[in-house]
Amino acid sequence: AVCHLWRPTRRATRRAHVCRTHSRMATLVEAYLERLGLPAACLADGPTLPLLETLVEAHLATLPFSNLSQHLAGGDAAPSLSPSRLQEKLLARRHGGNCFELNGLFALLLRDIGLETLLLQCRVWTGRERGNRGKPGYRRHPTHLLLLVGGVQGEGNARFLVDVGFGEPPLGPLRYSVGEGSEQVTAEGMRSRMVQLGDGMVQLESWRDAGRDPWHVRASPSPATEAGWVPRLSWAEADVELFGAAAAPCLADFAAAQERCLAEGSTLRQKLVVCRLLREEKVTVAGTQLRITSPRFKRGGRVPTQRVAELGCTEGVRAALLEHYCIPREETSALQLDASVAAPGAWWRHL
């Protein structure tokens, strides 16, 4: 089977990359660029904002948000966060991962090319799509990790919010700006803003169109659904102030948070999800279903629609993982889907 990936260019994202065997590289930067399908020449101008935008878009198109490891017989219940293990899994074996893995390794790449990063813990706004059986609201504990990035050439002291480990984050960096005038639109059309909450918290929100669910794809069950801002993530201002401080956390400090996310009975443990993002398309395997959403956001009168295919069996899912994510078949030979088949259909519907 031939596996195709999208590769970002300056003007568009093109379907051009044919999956090939990963060669062992001498450095993390070389291995990462090869995995993303980017030439070493992209680093020639230094750590600029266009470079950061290119890296984020390429990452989201190539390394999926995924819990595949938790659905393999003998797989990692709580994957190691050591840099060498992450590099082996994400770059050499061509897997995706969770937020701690994806943003954790990406932070190392950004540091190696001259940028400053802060690992920022946050809480996720959840509903039934993420296994919340009660009313929508924030999880009790921080269960997500994203990045605050500084040292961008030509941008002074500006910092940027970067996330390559969420189910559907903005497709590029967001300038860290809270309050009035903070609305930003990324390349795929997502509108985002950061607002101040009480008790020293900041909230990231995205825009929802009228009459549609918060992810724009389906008509809302309630015709009266109004257009408005939807909560997504929140974090403490005090954590942001750790940027550049000696007390800033390292990736190993988030091992307990990852274990909490992957605990027995968690949504991540009970239903398979693999999702990658492009400007015009979202490609998701959820359980035994393949969903391709295009366009991702309302554009020029076009409304997001989904093509859905029932994969039917383990072999069908394995074939989709190869075709759409370039995950080699030898990496999915131990795939188990009993839990995914039994899980509620609403889980991961936002992806």
Side-chain angles (χ1 to χ4, degrees):
V2 176
C3 168
H4 298 284
L5 286 181
W6 288 73
R7 295 178 73 181
T9 65
R10 287 188 176 183
R11 300 189 60 184
T13 308
R14 299 175 182 174
R15 198 172 182 86
H17 180 57
V18 178
C19 184
R20 62 185 182 275
T21 302
H22 182 282
S23 59
R24 295 289 181 177
M25 305 297 286
T27 69
L28 173 65
V29 173
E30 290 171 337
Y32 229 128
L33 292 181
E34 198 247 1
R35 177 76 163 97
L36 298 179
L38 297 173
C42 73
L43 305 178
D45 294 332
T48 62
L49 183 56
L51 173 62
L52 181 59
E53 292 169 340
T54 295
L55 291 173
V56 171
E57 185 171 352
H59 205 291
L60 291 169
T62 308
L63 277 76
F65 171 73
S66 168
N67 61 357
L68 175 61
S69 294
Q70 286 71 58
H71 294 270
L72 300 175
D76 296 329
S80 170
L81 295 180
S82 75
S84 60
R85 292 288 294 276
L86 289 177
Q87 185 170 345
E88 177 191 13
K89 176 182 177 179
L90 302 180
L91 307 186
R93 295 169 53 205
R94 310 190 71 85
H95 279 247
N98 61 47
C99 63
F100 302 97
E101 298 173 292
L102 295 168
N103 281 323
L105 192 64
F106 194 50
L108 297 180
L109 170 68
L110 297 183
R111 292 171 190 172
D112 280 359
I113 65 172
L115 292 168
E116 304 169 37
T117 63
L118 173 70
L119 304 176
L120 187 62
Q121 65 176 357
C122 55
R123 295 192 298 160
V124 178
W125 183 271
T126 67
R128 286 186 302 162
E129 78 288 346
R130 288 191 175 93
N132 186 350
R133 293 177 173 84
K135 294 181 179 179
Y138 279 112
R139 292 195 188 278
R140 181 179 304 175
H141 303 286
T143 57
H144 185 60
L145 177 70
L146 49 72
L147 304 177
L148 194 60
V149 179
V152 179
Q153 188 171 296
E155 297 293 332
N157 294 323
R159 295 168 184 169
F160 297 85
L161 205 66
V162 167
D163 195 349
V164 295
F166 204 39
E168 189 166 16
L171 201 68
L174 298 177
R175 191 175 295 271
Y176 194 84
S177 174
V178 180
E180 186 175 351
S182 69
E183 181 180 338
Q184 301 171 63
V185 182
T186 38
E188 80 286 19
M190 180 183 286
R191 295 170 60 187
S192 302
R193 72 176 186 180
M194 296 170 229
V195 298
Q196 191 81 46
L197 299 179
D199 301 325
M201 302 296 290
V202 176
Q203 178 169 275
L204 177 66
E205 303 175 339
S206 66
W207 181 261
R208 174 185 62 198
D209 290 324
R212 307 198 69 80
D213 70 15
W215 307 282
H216 308 271
V217 174
R218 298 172 178 81
S220 170
S222 171
T225 300
E226 298 180 355
W229 292 99
V230 179
R232 306 202 71 199
L233 301 169
S234 69
W235 58 87
E237 284 184 296
D239 289 341
V240 173
E241 294 171 2
L242 293 174
F243 193 94
C250 65
L251 188 56
D253 295 330
F254 295 93
Q258 180 185 236
E259 290 178 8
R260 185 182 299 120
C261 291
L262 300 176
E264 193 71 37
S266 68
T267 312
L268 285 168
R269 288 286 295 275
Q270 293 191 59
K271 188 169 185 178
L272 174 71
V273 64
V274 186
C275 179
R276 67 184 184 93
L277 304 172
L278 303 93
R279 291 193 184 190
E280 294 293 332
E281 193 172 78
K282 174 170 58 178
V283 183
T284 305
V285 167
T288 58
Q289 192 176 77
L290 170 68
R291 298 195 293 263
I292 299 178
T293 306
S294 181
R296 292 180 52 208
F297 293 89
K298 188 175 180 180
R299 286 175 178 268
R302 295 175 61 208
V303 176
T305 58
Q306 278 187 344
R307 290 178 286 140
V308 179
E310 296 295 339
L311 301 173
C313 63
T314 301
E315 286 305 309
V317 174
R318 292 180 67 200
L321 295 177
L322 174 63
E323 179 181 357
H324 294 283
Y325 309 94
C326 282
I327 301 175
R329 288 185 63 82
E330 58 267 26
E331 292 293 332
T332 61
S333 59
L335 180 63
Q336 294 185 331
L337 293 173
D338 291 348
S340 295
V341 171
W347 288 5
W348 305 125
R349 74 178 179 89
H350 61 302
L351 299 180

